[in-house]
Amino acid sequence: MHRCLRVPELLDIIFQKVQIESGGNSAVIALACTARCFQDAALDTLWQSQASLVPLVKCFPEALLTETKVEDGSRELSFVKDPEPEDWARVAAYAARIRAIRLDPYSYPSYYGILQLAGSALETLHRLTNTTPLLPNLRSFEWTHAFKIDSHNVASLLLYLSPQVSSMDILLAAMSEQSAKVIADALCKFSENPAQLRTIRIVSPPCPPVEQAILELGLRQQHLQQFQYTWENEMTLATVSHLSTLNNLQQVSIRANAETSRGLLELAQTRGGQFFPALQFFSLYTDTLTVCEAWLRTLRHPGISNLTFTVNTPPPSAALCEFFVKLAQHSAHGNLRDLRFVSTTPCAANEHGLHLVHPDTLSPLLQLNLKSLKLEPGGPIQLDDDFVARMARAWPELRILELNAEWRRYVVPQVTLAGLIPLARHCPDVQLLALPVSTDVSAFQERYEAGYRPTGGVSFNRCFIVGVGPSMIDEQADQLMIAGFLSDLCPDLVAVQTSWTKRGVALRANEAMEEENEEMGEIWKQVERYAREMARVRRQERMWMEVS
């Protein structure tokens, strides 16, 4: 055997490349069986990144574990009794190899095939590893829970707060006061080493104790590269000033009102290039579009590639257009790839005309080469098929397009289903598409009924989610044909999202449409079921063609 193959670092690189490009884990296992000296590198590769703790827990003796089927059809893994000290040897050996816990948002296994750890199992693991970390070499983790957080979920999060963690990506849901206190206390005690953390990305509903703990955690770190949180409370001038001096900080989110922003921007003028010197991703929560413009004038770093602005007051469409013009002229216009603008407050129903976003409003953005555009400007967005085609040609690398996906008022859409085809033709790698559309099928009805593909053979490569906002379906509409079009456009479709099924009351001008909201939500749910099943059949057909 060549001497190079006895160098552990080279073996790690080789095995990782094999795992990615040559058949995944099965290829790594086969290669490991060819020589004993390959086994350590192979095991490191196989265990270094996991989606959950289930594979690790299954390393306990079988007699300690039991699987039960829960009401929703999924299965849970739990302990019959507490593991004894001698039961931990195999688990500890593999746990030391885990470097990352990662959740792939675009990996959707069959729901009923998912095996999860029971809440009691998580609490048992946390109780038995309270003084010694379960994952001693964990470097990064992603943790998400979309429903109310209880003691079981808290236990699973605490298991990931290991002493070597340098990156955390957390999505928190609503939580009780007790759960919030436990999480806040854990974050306050975590990472006293000021050189440890590089990435803190946390999304959470309003929770003052958790927010304060996260802020203190970030301020303790001297080498942060990413610090993002959904701030509810205004940051002080001293806090943002401190963050702006961190030489390695590339991604940051801040909340600063007009007064604080004025002081910060005056301070920036005195610092020259030492105000967020390495900035690439910037998120601002503030009062008005005027404050956003002031920040845009100050942040002149040409390396900025991601901008998010969240305001409390919806801007008039004319002011928004002027803002987009300045954005297209910014020194970072060549690198800017991701843009999000949100107004947390919708405009008054009688002011739609003042806030109506039309093609001319968005035209300045066509000068950019965007990969992601998310707009919730607080007013209606009224585009047409021609402008969608212009967007498609201008942004060939587009991955995400969300235009008023959360809008709660109905305005007759001018974009048709057929008008989405240019997006698939010019932007084939779109993964999430959301905008209000007209569900008129006349443009492809004849082709569909003749047995031909309604999109003419054009489809996205990997579009998983389609959002239609407050789009409506007439009672006489052919739901199967709508679903057939969506499944042809998006062969990997897993969800059709609509604001009709969101909480709250949808509005048409000043009319409450609570009853129609519920009825329309059911209609779209049926279309989603049709489309997902059709997409599944299309995927099976593709696999059969590849095999044959």
Side-chain angles (χ1 to χ4, degrees), residues 235-353:
M235 288 180 166
T236 64
L237 180 63
T239 295
V240 183
S241 176
H242 169 74
L243 293 174
S244 71
T245 62
L246 298 180
N247 291 328
N248 298 318
L249 190 61
Q250 300 172 4
Q251 302 183 24
V252 66
S253 61
I254 66 173
R255 178 177 285 275
N257 58 24
E259 181 179 354
T260 303
S261 295
R262 190 179 305 112
L264 284 167
L265 300 182
E266 290 175 357
L267 179 64
Q269 299 298 324
T270 65
R271 288 192 185 166
Q274 294 305 309
F275 188 74
F276 293 108
L279 194 62
Q280 296 180 10
F281 290 56
F282 180 69
S283 297
L284 174 67
Y285 300 82
T286 189
D287 305 324
T288 65
L289 183 66
T290 304
V291 180
C292 297
E293 290 177 339
W295 276 92
L296 193 65
R297 288 194 301 270
T298 304
L299 298 174
R300 305 303 298 176
H301 195 288
I304 296 176
S305 61
N306 185 306
L307 287 173
T308 295
F309 297 101
T310 303
V311 298
N312 299 327
T313 305
S317 58
L320 189 61
C321 179
E322 185 177 345
F323 178 72
F324 288 153
V325 169
K326 294 176 181 177
L327 194 61
Q329 298 171 348
H330 192 270
S331 57
H333 74 276
N335 287 317
L336 188 61
R337 294 293 179 267
D338 304 292
L339 175 64
R340 183 170 184 246
F341 184 90
V342 176
S343 172
T344 58
T345 306
C347 68
N350 59 0
E351 295 182 352
H352 276 193

Side-chain angles (χ1 to χ4, degrees), residues 408-470:
R408 299 290 302 154
R409 297 171 184 165
Y410 181 71
V411 178
V412 179
Q414 300 300 313
V415 177
T416 66
L417 288 171
L420 302 178
I421 294 177
L423 282 170
R425 179 178 292 115
H426 298 289
C427 313
D429 295 322
V430 166
Q431 297 176 342
L432 190 157
L433 175 64
L435 72 165
V437 294
S438 166
T439 53
D440 178 27
V441 299
S442 59
F444 54 83
Q445 181 173 0
E446 183 177 347
R447 187 164 61 246
Y448 186 93
E449 292 177 344
Y452 296 103
R453 292 179 58 179
T455 64
V458 178
S459 61
F460 292 110
N461 292 335
R462 297 283 284 171
C463 187
F464 302 95
I465 300 175
V466 171
V468 295

Side-chain angles (χ1 to χ4, degrees), residues 340-521:
R340 183 170 184 246
F341 184 90
V342 176
S343 172
T344 58
T345 306
C347 68
N350 59 0
E351 295 182 352
H352 276 193
L354 178 64
H355 298 273
L356 177 65
V357 175
H358 44 78
D360 288 344
T361 310
L362 301 184
S363 289
L365 298 180
L366 300 180
Q367 302 175 47
L368 305 173
N369 184 16
L370 295 178
K371 288 186 176 181
S372 174
L373 176 63
K374 299 181 180 180
L375 294 181
E376 296 282 346
I381 297 178
Q382 189 67 287
L383 306 180
D384 53 30
D385 289 351
D386 288 341
F387 191 74
V388 171
R390 290 176 62 193
M391 289 192 296
R393 291 191 294 269
W395 306 325
E397 299 180 23
L398 193 66
R399 299 293 187 275
I400 297 174
L401 180 63
E402 287 189 71
L403 304 177
N404 262 1
E406 304 291 333
W407 183 241
R408 299 290 302 154
R409 297 171 184 165
Y410 181 71
V411 178
V412 179
Q414 300 300 313
V415 177
T416 66
L417 288 171
L420 302 178
I421 294 177
L423 282 170
R425 179 178 292 115
H426 298 289
C427 313
D429 295 322
V430 166
Q431 297 176 342
L432 190 157
L433 175 64
L435 72 165
V437 294
S438 166
T439 53
D440 178 27
V441 299
S442 59
F444 54 83
Q445 181 173 0
E446 183 177 347
R447 187 164 61 246
Y448 186 93
E449 292 177 344
Y452 296 103
R453 292 179 58 179
T455 64
V458 178
S459 61
F460 292 110
N461 292 335
R462 297 283 284 171
C463 187
F464 302 95
I465 300 175
V466 171
V468 295
S471 305
M472 295 180 66
I473 301 177
D474 294 333
E475 293 182 2
Q476 297 78 20
D478 190 330
Q479 297 178 22
L480 278 173
M481 194 176 298
I482 295 172
F485 177 88
L486 292 176
S487 66
D488 190 24
L489 187 71
C490 309
D492 296 287
L493 187 69
V494 296
V496 177
Q497 298 178 345
T498 167
S499 57
W500 296 106
T501 55
K502 307 278 184 192
R503 291 182 177 179
V505 178
L507 303 176
R508 185 203 304 270
N510 292 316
E511 296 180 45
M513 298 180 359
E514 196 164 2
E515 182 177 350
E516 190 171 0
N517 171 28
E518 188 172 324
E519 294 176 358
M520 190 59 61

Side-chain angles (χ1 to χ4, degrees), residues 57-67 77-84 86-87 90-91:
V57 172
K58 288 182 75 69
C59 292
F60 281 105
E62 290 186 13
L64 293 177
L65 305 173
T66 182
E67 290 185 19
L77 185 66
S78 57
F79 289 105
V80 176
K81 62 177 183 177
D82 286 358
E84 298 295 335
E86 60 269 18
D87 298 326
R90 186 165 177 245
V91 174

